[in-house]
Amino acid sequence: MVLGGFDIVVIALVVFVILVLFAGVKTVPQGYRYTIERFGRYTRTLEPGLNIITPFIERIGARLNVMEQVLDVPTQEVITRDNASVAADAVAFYQVLNAAQAAYQVSNLENAILNLTMTNIRSVMGSMDLDELLSNRDAINDRLLRVVDDAVQPWGIKVTRIEIKDIRPPTDLVDAMARQMKAEREKRAQILEAEGSRNAQILRAEGAKQSAILEAEGQREAAFREAEARERLAEAEAKATKMVSEAIAAGDVQAINYFVAQKYTEALTAIGSASNSKIVMMPMEASSIIGSLSGIAAIAREVFGDGNNPPSPPRPRQVPSRTNPPVNPFNQTPER
């Protein structure tokens, strides 16, 4: 089949239309944004999916990733406010919110964010002391995020997070800090030990005070009760002595017998319980005691007499027939 000139033109036209259609259809993947330029001027941004542009008039300007991206900040030397040199590195997370601003407001977006983060790290960390720098990483991260995010906002960028990965002071400074920490811990331990000893002494003193108070109160109560007992005993003895005296004055012989026998028995008890006595010999027969009591009663009758008769002259005492003479317990010398 021989094609004529018209057929060739039609085929060429169809091929051209197909090529134009392919050139005008653009597919944008998810997570990306394409900028469209018409004769070199930005006109719009293509969203993910199938899009159609005008071939030969419009073209794709920039392909931007709008997903959150990680930017590794290299290690850099930082001099703190107290002139300590430390090495610090960080990591930053950012996301493109406005593709047109990110494409046309800054050149080399990633390098710009990196340098901006590095300079702010030196600025923020250099305004702090070393101790504050090592103990306030969260505060450093918050300050860096706020400063860098405000700086990149005109570029259509959102910095979501900046984290300090590591802060490395010099080796000699680390050793000095370790010694300082050890000294501080020993100081706190000594303070706690001293406070514990002081509290223990206070508690012991309080216990001794309470014990002394209770002991004094017990002694006072015991002395009071002892005095009361002596007072009652004295009252009883006085009453008994008065009754015996009245009975003797009235001529009652039994009262003086009771009084003398009681004193005699108490004397025998004292002699028998003496601490310096080893062997005590005394008349312990009941007949001797009864005889002594009878003699005392006779003496009382002779002295006081019978109620109506005058007292008779004393009669000579009869010595009991014993092989050995009786021993007077009041003149007995204890054997050592």
Side-chain angles (χ1 to χ4, degrees), residues 69-120:
Q69 302 178 61
V70 181
L71 183 62
D72 191 12
V73 181
T75 303
Q76 53 186 325
E77 295 292 332
V78 179
I79 299 177
T80 62
R81 186 170 57 185
D82 53 353
N83 297 324
S85 178
V86 297
D89 56 358
V91 59
F93 296 85
Y94 70 94
Q95 186 177 11
V96 176
L97 299 182
N98 192 316
Q101 292 179 348
Y104 301 108
Q105 295 292 333
V106 60
S107 176
N108 198 346
L109 176 63
E110 184 173 332
N111 188 36
I113 297 175
L114 178 62
N115 283 275
L116 185 61
T117 304
M118 292 173 61
T119 55
N120 280 280

Side-chain angles (χ1 to χ4, degrees), residues 240-241 244-245 248 252-269 288-301 303-304 329-330:
T241 304
V244 171
S245 299
I248 292 174
D252 190 356
V253 179
Q254 297 296 329
I256 194 171
N257 288 342
Y258 169 77
F259 186 76
V260 173
Q262 182 182 8
K263 296 299 182 181
Y264 182 75
T265 305
E266 291 177 356
L268 292 178
T269 303
S288 299
I289 298 176
I290 295 173
S292 299
L293 295 177
S294 300
I296 294 171
I299 293 172
R301 283 195 299 270
V303 173
F304 297 103
F330 298 98

Side-chain angles (χ1 to χ4, degrees), residues 8 17 72 79 126 145 162-164 228 314-315:
I8 294 173
V17 171
D72 191 12
I79 299 177
L145 178 61
I162 296 178
E163 298 287 342
I164 300 296
E228 186 178 2
R315 294 178 298 175

Side-chain angles (χ1 to χ4, degrees), residues 31-181:
Y32 284 84
R33 299 293 187 273
Y34 291 174
T35 61
I36 300 300
E37 298 175 356
R38 178 177 297 173
F39 300 115
R41 181 175 180 273
Y42 169 77
T43 57
R44 67 183 188 278
T45 301
L46 299 182
E47 298 294 331
L50 186 62
N51 296 271
I52 299 176
I53 65 174
T54 304
F56 309 113
I57 298 176
E58 297 178 340
R59 67 181 183 89
I60 297 177
R63 295 175 172 85
L64 297 176
N65 185 351
V66 296
M67 295 182 289
E68 188 172 0
Q69 302 178 61
V70 181
L71 183 62
D72 191 12
V73 181
T75 303
Q76 53 186 325
E77 295 292 332
V78 179
I79 299 177
T80 62
R81 186 170 57 185
D82 53 353
N83 297 324
S85 178
V86 297
D89 56 358
V91 59
F93 296 85
Y94 70 94
Q95 186 177 11
V96 176
L97 299 182
N98 192 316
Q101 292 179 348
Y104 301 108
Q105 295 292 333
V106 60
S107 176
N108 198 346
L109 176 63
E110 184 173 332
N111 188 36
I113 297 175
L114 178 62
N115 283 275
L116 185 61
T117 304
M118 292 173 61
T119 55
N120 280 280
I121 286 176
R122 287 193 294 268
S123 176
V124 171
M125 296 179 66
S127 63
M128 303 172 67
D129 292 333
L130 180 61
D131 294 338
E132 186 181 3
L133 190 68
L134 296 176
S135 59
N136 294 322
R137 289 197 179 188
D138 292 338
I140 297 173
N141 295 334
D142 291 339
R143 290 179 60 183
L144 284 174
L145 178 61
R146 185 172 59 254
V147 172
V148 176
D149 185 50
D150 291 341
V152 300
Q153 187 174 3
W155 302 342
I157 304 298
K158 173 65 177 177
V159 178
T160 58
R161 188 178 306 170
I162 296 178
E163 298 287 342
I164 300 296
K165 292 194 298 183
D166 193 14
I167 299 176
R168 294 184 298 275
T171 305
D172 55 348
L173 188 58
V174 173
D175 295 337
M177 293 173 61
R179 290 194 300 269
Q180 180 183 1
M181 180 185 64

